[in-house]
Amino acid sequence: MEGILPLFKPKGMTSHDCVFRLRKILRMKRIGHTGTLDPDVTGVLPICLGRATKVAEYITDAGKSYEGEVTIGFSTTTEDASGEVAERKEVSSPISRNQVIKVLQSLTGEITQTPPMYSAVKVNGKRLYEYARQGIEVERPSRKVTIYSIELLDEREMFEGENITFRFRVACSKGTYIRTLAVMIGSELGYPAHMSELVRIQSASLTLDDCLTFEEIEDRAEKGTMDEVLRPMEAALSHLPKFHINDKVAEKVKNGAVLTIPDHLYDTKGPIAIEGEEGLVLAIYEHHPRKPGLMKPVKVLRNDQ
């Protein structure tokens, strides 16, 4: 069995928990997830089965979309609803729709984030959440991420109350912390805030509509119909630039040959998907670091056809 399984991750499970449960359901070991989702977050978690584990990193690197909820008026230790209250400041005057939209617009594009203490980022070989659990505050490296778009999902013209809650939809790059984005939204409005709910609605080309629950997967595993819902490896690579080759060149690719970069890909950066005559991606290439005009294989995905 091989391919991409679009799983709907339920609340309360880590990404590792999901992999562990699927190994038992599908009775196979070669399974990997495509980037950590916090236990409180639900939604799209692409799971790679068999040979498709080779392309997990390319789904992780692809853009993601979320629908979230920010609560303004108090912050938490974890930046989400699972943490203890860290700071309170009641909203003293109404906030207008235009104020919120201006803040969202100001956070669109490339922004700098500092990962939360309760996160899996490593500092000096140790994950931040391990320091946090010991009550140790360490200096965290900031990172640049990209917010492609952010949209207010609330029709109100005015937001009033001691605590204010509204929903938003965001499309972003790898490495973005939506928890931290919620805190930044509150900060720009002048108040402590946290992310009170989050659903991942898209990862690479996979959406919520594509996803199966654990119950649906168990049912299909019993009936032997899993192959009907698995996506090919190509689903993980749809966002990459493509170079289509003939069968003669394909044989060279399967043996790891260096190729000339075609004109239409000369100015690209990052990985390139090498596609055979049947539309299957045979390998992932990148620009050669020492030989201008050439590209070399990073991963050969299919060398047995």
Side-chain angles (χ1 to χ4, degrees), residues 212-226:
L212 285 82
T213 63
F214 276 113
E215 291 71 27
E216 290 170 325
I217 293 167
E218 286 175 338
D219 183 58
R220 285 190 171 274
E222 286 178 14
K223 293 177 179 175
T225 60
M226 280 300 301

Side-chain angles (χ1 to χ4, degrees), residues 141-183:
S142 296
R143 59 170 68 169
K144 291 190 182 296
V145 297
T146 303
I147 305 298
Y148 301 118
S149 65
I150 184 167
E151 175 187 359
L152 179 62
L153 299 178
D154 194 304
E155 298 300 323
R156 285 176 288 176
E157 290 298 325
M158 297 296 292
F159 299 89
E160 301 178 77
E162 294 179 357
N163 299 317
I164 289 172
T165 297
F166 56 81
R167 297 187 66 79
F168 61 93
R169 181 185 297 123
V170 60
C172 57
S173 68
K174 172 192 176 184
T176 305
Y177 278 94
I178 310 301
R179 285 182 281 159
T180 304
L181 182 63
V183 171

Side-chain angles (χ1 to χ4, degrees), residues 13-201:
M13 295 183 73
T14 66
S15 298
H16 180 73
D17 291 337
C18 293
V19 170
F20 182 77
R21 184 170 173 183
L22 286 171
R23 282 179 177 150
K24 294 179 75 173
I25 294 171
L26 302 177
R27 297 176 183 174
M28 62 184 295
K29 290 184 178 180
R30 201 175 177 192
I31 299 179
H33 65 74
T34 54
T36 303
L37 274 183
D38 292 334
D40 282 352
V41 180
T42 64
V44 183
L45 180 61
I47 301 289
C48 296
L49 307 180
R51 183 164 50 177
T53 53
K54 290 183 177 182
V55 300
E57 65 189 90
Y58 301 106
I59 298 181
T60 303
D61 290 346
K64 313 284 192 298
S65 296
Y66 299 85
E67 286 188 6
E69 180 184 81
V70 57
T71 293
I72 295 170
F74 66 96
S75 61
T76 70
T77 52
T78 57
E79 300 187 352
D80 62 16
S82 67
E84 298 176 2
V85 174
E87 180 187 359
R88 281 191 187 276
K89 181 183 176 184
E90 292 181 359
V91 180
S92 55
S93 58
I95 297 174
S96 72
R97 180 182 185 81
N98 282 342
Q99 283 177 279
V100 174
I101 289 175
K102 281 183 180 178
V103 166
L104 299 185
Q105 288 173 342
S106 74
L107 293 170
T108 303
E110 188 176 75
I111 63 172
T112 300
Q113 287 192 327
T114 302
M117 278 301 300
Y118 281 90
S119 66
V121 173
K122 282 188 175 182
V123 173
N124 298 325
K126 194 173 178 180
R127 298 196 185 277
L128 284 175
Y129 64 73
E130 295 178 286
Y131 290 110
R133 287 169 181 167
Q134 296 171 6
I136 302 170
E137 184 91 15
V138 296
E139 189 172 334
R140 291 160 282 165
S142 296
R143 59 170 68 169
K144 291 190 182 296
V145 297
T146 303
I147 305 298
Y148 301 118
S149 65
I150 184 167
E151 175 187 359
L152 179 62
L153 299 178
D154 194 304
E155 298 300 323
R156 285 176 288 176
E157 290 298 325
M158 297 296 292
F159 299 89
E160 301 178 77
E162 294 179 357
N163 299 317
I164 289 172
T165 297
F166 56 81
R167 297 187 66 79
F168 61 93
R169 181 185 297 123
V170 60
C172 57
S173 68
K174 172 192 176 184
T176 305
Y177 278 94
I178 310 301
R179 285 182 281 159
T180 304
L181 182 63
V183 171
M184 294 170 77
I185 290 170
S187 178
E188 290 295 313
L189 290 168
Y191 295 94
H194 69 281
M195 182 192 74
S196 40
E197 189 180 339
L198 188 66
V199 180
R200 185 195 275 168
I201 60 172

